[in-house]
Amino acid sequence: MSAALDGALAATAKRLHVSPRIDRAAREALLTVIATAYDYRPEAMRDLTREDHRAGLSDSALTAMYAHCALTLGGQYGRASAHLLHTLDRWAPLDAAA
């Protein structure tokens, strides 16, 4: 993981009060998500290397996924769902109201 992503994950863990045990497990889950995203990438992205594919994933999206994994692994299912819903809502196109 890049230093910027590592710092974002550490800040998220602190903000969400994630225990060190859950932090380790959520980071492992995030690495699995990244690897799986590469394995199941669309046909148009088949020529990308793992490094190129990872570079195309935004740190903010990976941080949101980490937060969802950490909260879920910590047994906070409602909070995890709410966090994910609010994150997706924040990223939704603004023209949906038009």
Side-chain angles (χ1 to χ4, degrees), residues 6 14 16 24 31 46 53 60 84 92 94:
D6 191 49
K14 183 176 181 177
L16 297 176
R24 284 190 303 276
L31 292 175
R46 292 287 179 193
H53 184 263
S60 60
L84 184 61
L94 297 178

Side-chain angles (χ1 to χ4, degrees), residues 7-64:
L9 298 183
T12 300
K14 183 176 181 177
R15 182 173 52 83
L16 297 176
H17 305 288
V18 175
S19 73
R21 181 178 59 84
I22 297 296
D23 177 56
R24 284 190 303 276
R27 285 173 182 258
E28 287 297 320
L30 184 61
L31 292 175
T32 301
V33 167
I34 293 169
T36 303
Y38 178 78
D39 293 340
Y40 291 95
R41 65 197 182 282
E43 189 66 38
M45 299 173 74
R46 292 287 179 193
D47 60 338
L48 293 177
T49 65
R50 283 191 182 274
E51 293 77 24
D52 292 338
H53 184 263
R54 168 54 192 98
L57 300 173
S58 73
D59 285 352
S60 60
L62 293 175
T63 302

Side-chain angles (χ1 to χ4, degrees), residues 4 31 41-42 59 64-65 68 73 90 97:
L31 292 175
R41 65 197 182 282
D59 285 352
M65 179 56 70
H68 181 73
L73 290 168
R90 191 173 58 238

